[in-house]
mmCIF file of all heavy atoms in Angstrom:
data_model
loop_
_atom_site.group_PDB
_atom_site.id
_atom_site.type_symbol
_atom_site.label_atom_id
_atom_site.label_comp_id
_atom_site.label_asym_id
_atom_site.label_seq_id
_atom_site.Cartn_x
_atom_site.Cartn_y
_atom_site.Cartn_z
ATOM 1 N N ALA A 44 3.501 10.459 6.706
ATOM 2 C CA ALA A 44 3.823 11.675 7.455
ATOM 3 C C ALA A 44 4.780 11.368 8.595
ATOM 4 O O ALA A 44 5.700 12.143 8.878
ATOM 5 C CB ALA A 44 2.537 12.314 7.994
ATOM 6 N N ALA A 45 4.565 10.230 9.258
ATOM 7 C CA ALA A 45 5.465 9.832 10.340
ATOM 8 C C ALA A 45 6.870 9.586 9.816
ATOM 9 O O ALA A 45 7.869 9.960 10.440
ATOM 10 C CB ALA A 45 4.937 8.572 11.026
ATOM 11 N N ALA A 46 6.972 8.969 8.648
ATOM 12 C CA ALA A 46 8.280 8.696 8.053
ATOM 13 C C ALA A 46 9.002 9.998 7.709
ATOM 14 O O ALA A 46 10.212 10.128 7.915
ATOM 15 C CB ALA A 46 8.115 7.839 6.801
ATOM 16 N N GLY A 47 8.255 10.966 7.193
ATOM 17 C CA GLY A 47 8.873 12.240 6.823
ATOM 18 C C GLY A 47 9.293 13.074 8.000
ATOM 19 O O GLY A 47 10.154 13.942 7.880
ATOM 20 N N SER A 48 8.687 12.802 9.171
ATOM 21 C CA SER A 48 9.037 13.589 10.360
ATOM 22 C C SER A 48 10.259 13.043 11.078
ATOM 23 O O SER A 48 10.715 13.628 12.058
ATOM 24 C CB SER A 48 7.851 13.617 11.335
ATOM 25 O OG SER A 48 7.635 12.331 11.884
ATOM 26 N N THR A 49 10.801 11.921 10.601
ATOM 27 C CA THR A 49 11.962 11.310 11.255
ATOM 28 C C THR A 49 13.165 11.301 10.314
ATOM 29 O O THR A 49 13.860 10.311 10.181
ATOM 30 C CB THR A 49 11.642 9.865 11.675
ATOM 31 O OG1 THR A 49 11.209 9.118 10.521
ATOM 32 C CG2 THR A 49 10.567 9.826 12.730
ATOM 33 N N THR A 50 13.380 12.415 9.619
ATOM 34 C CA THR A 50 14.507 12.503 8.699
ATOM 35 C C THR A 50 15.817 12.610 9.461
ATOM 36 O O THR A 50 15.884 13.172 10.558
ATOM 37 C CB THR A 50 14.365 13.731 7.785
ATOM 38 O OG1 THR A 50 14.178 14.885 8.596
ATOM 39 C CG2 THR A 50 13.169 13.579 6.864
ATOM 40 N N VAL A 51 16.865 12.077 8.858
ATOM 41 C CA VAL A 51 18.191 12.134 9.463
ATOM 42 C C VAL A 51 18.784 13.516 9.257
ATOM 43 O O VAL A 51 18.520 14.182 8.253
ATOM 44 C CB VAL A 51 19.106 11.059 8.822
ATOM 45 C CG1 VAL A 51 20.502 11.107 9.401
ATOM 46 C CG2 VAL A 51 18.480 9.685 8.986
ATOM 47 N N ALA A 52 19.613 13.964 10.209
ATOM 48 C CA ALA A 52 20.233 15.284 10.116
ATOM 49 C C ALA A 52 21.014 15.400 8.809
ATOM 50 O O ALA A 52 21.783 14.516 8.444
ATOM 51 C CB ALA A 52 21.168 15.498 11.301
ATOM 52 N N GLY A 53 20.814 16.526 8.118
ATOM 53 C CA GLY A 53 21.505 16.727 6.852
ATOM 54 C C GLY A 53 20.677 16.339 5.650
ATOM 55 O O GLY A 53 20.996 16.722 4.527
ATOM 56 N N GLU A 54 19.620 15.566 5.861
ATOM 57 C CA GLU A 54 18.749 15.184 4.750
ATOM 58 C C GLU A 54 17.761 16.295 4.448
ATOM 59 O O GLU A 54 17.369 17.064 5.327
ATOM 60 C CB GLU A 54 17.959 13.907 5.089
ATOM 61 C CG GLU A 54 18.767 12.638 5.020
ATOM 62 C CD GLU A 54 17.875 11.416 5.183
ATOM 63 O OE1 GLU A 54 16.670 11.613 5.457
ATOM 64 O OE2 GLU A 54 18.371 10.291 5.036
ATOM 65 N N VAL A 55 17.345 16.362 3.218
ATOM 66 C CA VAL A 55 16.291 17.311 2.837
ATOM 67 C C VAL A 55 14.945 16.682 3.151
ATOM 68 O O VAL A 55 14.652 15.592 2.685
ATOM 69 C CB VAL A 55 16.362 17.635 1.330
ATOM 70 C CG1 VAL A 55 15.229 18.568 0.936
ATOM 71 C CG2 VAL A 55 17.709 18.258 0.991
ATOM 72 N N PRO A 56 14.109 17.326 4.000
ATOM 73 C CA PRO A 56 12.817 16.741 4.352
ATOM 74 C C PRO A 56 11.966 16.495 3.109
ATOM 75 O O PRO A 56 11.931 17.298 2.189
ATOM 76 C CB PRO A 56 12.174 17.801 5.270
ATOM 77 C CG PRO A 56 13.319 18.618 5.772
ATOM 78 C CD PRO A 56 14.327 18.616 4.679
ATOM 79 N N ARG A 57 11.280 15.377 3.089
ATOM 80 C CA ARG A 57 10.406 15.048 1.971
ATOM 81 C C ARG A 57 9.051 15.731 2.142
ATOM 82 O O ARG A 57 8.659 16.081 3.250
ATOM 83 C CB ARG A 57 10.207 13.536 1.892
ATOM 84 C CG ARG A 57 11.457 12.766 1.578
ATOM 85 C CD ARG A 57 11.139 11.288 1.469
ATOM 86 N NE ARG A 57 10.624 10.771 2.726
ATOM 87 C CZ ARG A 57 9.991 9.607 2.839
ATOM 88 N NH1 ARG A 57 9.748 8.878 1.765
ATOM 89 N NH2 ARG A 57 9.576 9.173 4.003
ATOM 90 N N ASN A 58 8.378 15.896 1.030
ATOM 91 C CA ASN A 58 7.011 16.396 1.101
ATOM 92 C C ASN A 58 6.113 15.280 1.599
ATOM 93 O O ASN A 58 6.024 14.218 0.977
ATOM 94 C CB ASN A 58 6.545 16.861 -0.277
ATOM 95 C CG ASN A 58 7.265 18.109 -0.731
ATOM 96 O OD1 ASN A 58 7.587 18.963 0.089
ATOM 97 N ND2 ASN A 58 7.531 18.210 -2.018
ATOM 98 N N VAL A 59 5.483 15.485 2.725
ATOM 99 C CA VAL A 59 4.610 14.479 3.305
ATOM 100 C C VAL A 59 3.305 15.145 3.705
ATOM 101 O O VAL A 59 3.235 16.367 3.875
ATOM 102 C CB VAL A 59 5.253 13.809 4.550
ATOM 103 C CG1 VAL A 59 6.481 13.008 4.139
ATOM 104 C CG2 VAL A 59 5.598 14.844 5.609
ATOM 105 N N PRO A 60 2.238 14.373 3.873
ATOM 106 C CA PRO A 60 0.948 14.965 4.263
ATOM 107 C C PRO A 60 1.035 15.683 5.607
ATOM 108 O O PRO A 60 1.714 15.235 6.530
ATOM 109 C CB PRO A 60 0.017 13.753 4.343
ATOM 110 C CG PRO A 60 0.663 12.714 3.492
ATOM 111 C CD PRO A 60 2.133 12.935 3.651
ATOM 112 N N ASP A 61 0.347 16.808 5.690
ATOM 113 C CA ASP A 61 0.224 17.516 6.961
ATOM 114 C C ASP A 61 -0.861 16.829 7.788
ATOM 115 O O ASP A 61 -1.976 16.629 7.307
ATOM 116 C CB ASP A 61 -0.137 18.979 6.705
ATOM 117 C CG ASP A 61 -0.240 19.774 7.990
ATOM 118 O OD1 ASP A 61 -1.343 19.774 8.586
ATOM 119 O OD2 ASP A 61 0.760 20.375 8.398
ATOM 120 N N LEU A 62 -0.533 16.482 9.036
ATOM 121 C CA LEU A 62 -1.464 15.699 9.850
ATOM 122 C C LEU A 62 -2.764 16.445 10.124
ATOM 123 O O LEU A 62 -3.840 15.843 10.135
ATOM 124 C CB LEU A 62 -0.802 15.297 11.167
ATOM 125 C CG LEU A 62 0.341 14.289 11.056
ATOM 126 C CD1 LEU A 62 0.950 14.033 12.426
ATOM 127 C CD2 LEU A 62 -0.146 12.981 10.454
ATOM 128 N N LEU A 63 -2.666 17.759 10.363
ATOM 129 C CA LEU A 63 -3.876 18.532 10.638
ATOM 130 C C LEU A 63 -4.780 18.571 9.415
ATOM 131 O O LEU A 63 -5.989 18.330 9.516
ATOM 132 C CB LEU A 63 -3.504 19.955 11.071
ATOM 133 C CG LEU A 63 -4.695 20.887 11.357
ATOM 134 C CD1 LEU A 63 -5.583 20.315 12.456
ATOM 135 C CD2 LEU A 63 -4.206 22.283 11.724
ATOM 136 N N PHE A 64 -4.214 18.855 8.246
ATOM 137 C CA PHE A 64 -5.016 18.893 7.022
ATOM 138 C C PHE A 64 -5.588 17.514 6.703
ATOM 139 O O PHE A 64 -6.725 17.392 6.228
ATOM 140 C CB PHE A 64 -4.180 19.395 5.848
ATOM 141 C CG PHE A 64 -3.897 20.863 5.884
ATOM 142 C CD1 PHE A 64 -2.849 21.406 5.146
ATOM 143 C CD2 PHE A 64 -4.675 21.718 6.643
ATOM 144 C CE1 PHE A 64 -2.589 22.763 5.174
ATOM 145 C CE2 PHE A 64 -4.427 23.088 6.689
ATOM 146 C CZ PHE A 64 -3.376 23.610 5.941
ATOM 147 N N LEU A 65 -4.794 16.490 6.941
ATOM 148 C CA LEU A 65 -5.269 15.125 6.686
ATOM 149 C C LEU A 65 -6.460 14.798 7.575
ATOM 150 O O LEU A 65 -7.465 14.240 7.126
ATOM 151 C CB LEU A 65 -4.133 14.136 6.931
ATOM 152 C CG LEU A 65 -4.432 12.663 6.646
ATOM 153 C CD1 LEU A 65 -4.795 12.453 5.187
ATOM 154 C CD2 LEU A 65 -3.232 11.796 7.029
ATOM 155 N N THR A 66 -6.365 15.152 8.858
ATOM 156 C CA THR A 66 -7.462 14.903 9.797
ATOM 157 C C THR A 66 -8.705 15.703 9.414
ATOM 158 O O THR A 66 -9.828 15.178 9.422
ATOM 159 C CB THR A 66 -7.033 15.254 11.228
ATOM 160 O OG1 THR A 66 -5.858 14.522 11.577
ATOM 161 C CG2 THR A 66 -8.129 14.928 12.231
ATOM 162 N N LEU A 67 -8.503 16.977 9.069
ATOM 163 C CA LEU A 67 -9.639 17.830 8.708
ATOM 164 C C LEU A 67 -10.323 17.339 7.428
ATOM 165 O O LEU A 67 -11.554 17.342 7.344
ATOM 166 C CB LEU A 67 -9.171 19.279 8.528
ATOM 167 C CG LEU A 67 -8.827 20.043 9.799
ATOM 168 C CD1 LEU A 67 -8.281 21.422 9.460
ATOM 169 C CD2 LEU A 67 -10.048 20.170 10.705
ATOM 170 N N SER A 68 -9.531 16.926 6.439
ATOM 171 C CA SER A 68 -10.139 16.457 5.189
ATOM 172 C C SER A 68 -10.924 15.171 5.414
ATOM 173 O O SER A 68 -12.024 15.001 4.880
ATOM 174 C CB SER A 68 -9.073 16.252 4.119
ATOM 175 O OG SER A 68 -8.154 15.238 4.487
ATOM 176 N N ALA A 69 -10.387 14.266 6.230
ATOM 177 C CA ALA A 69 -11.085 13.007 6.509
ATOM 178 C C ALA A 69 -12.361 13.250 7.309
ATOM 179 O O ALA A 69 -13.422 12.673 7.014
ATOM 180 C CB ALA A 69 -10.164 12.047 7.256
ATOM 181 N N ALA A 70 -12.283 14.105 8.329
ATOM 182 C CA ALA A 70 -13.449 14.374 9.171
ATOM 183 C C ALA A 70 -14.538 15.112 8.394
ATOM 184 O O ALA A 70 -15.728 14.768 8.484
ATOM 185 C CB ALA A 70 -13.035 15.190 10.392
ATOM 186 N N THR A 71 -14.143 16.124 7.621
ATOM 187 C CA THR A 71 -15.121 16.891 6.839
ATOM 188 C C THR A 71 -15.804 16.012 5.804
ATOM 189 O O THR A 71 -17.027 16.079 5.613
ATOM 190 C CB THR A 71 -14.430 18.074 6.144
ATOM 191 O OG1 THR A 71 -13.799 18.904 7.123
ATOM 192 C CG2 THR A 71 -15.440 18.904 5.359
ATOM 193 N N ALA A 72 -15.019 15.173 5.129
ATOM 194 C CA ALA A 72 -15.596 14.275 4.125
ATOM 195 C C ALA A 72 -16.530 13.261 4.759
ATOM 196 O O ALA A 72 -17.536 12.868 4.165
ATOM 197 C CB ALA A 72 -14.476 13.562 3.370
#
Side-chain angles (χ1 to χ4, degrees):
S48 68
T49 56
T50 54
V51 179
E54 284 188 354
V55 177
R57 295 182 298 164
N58 291 325
V59 294
D61 182 273
L62 292 177
L63 179 59
F64 286 161
L65 183 61
T66 304
L67 287 176
S68 63
T71 302

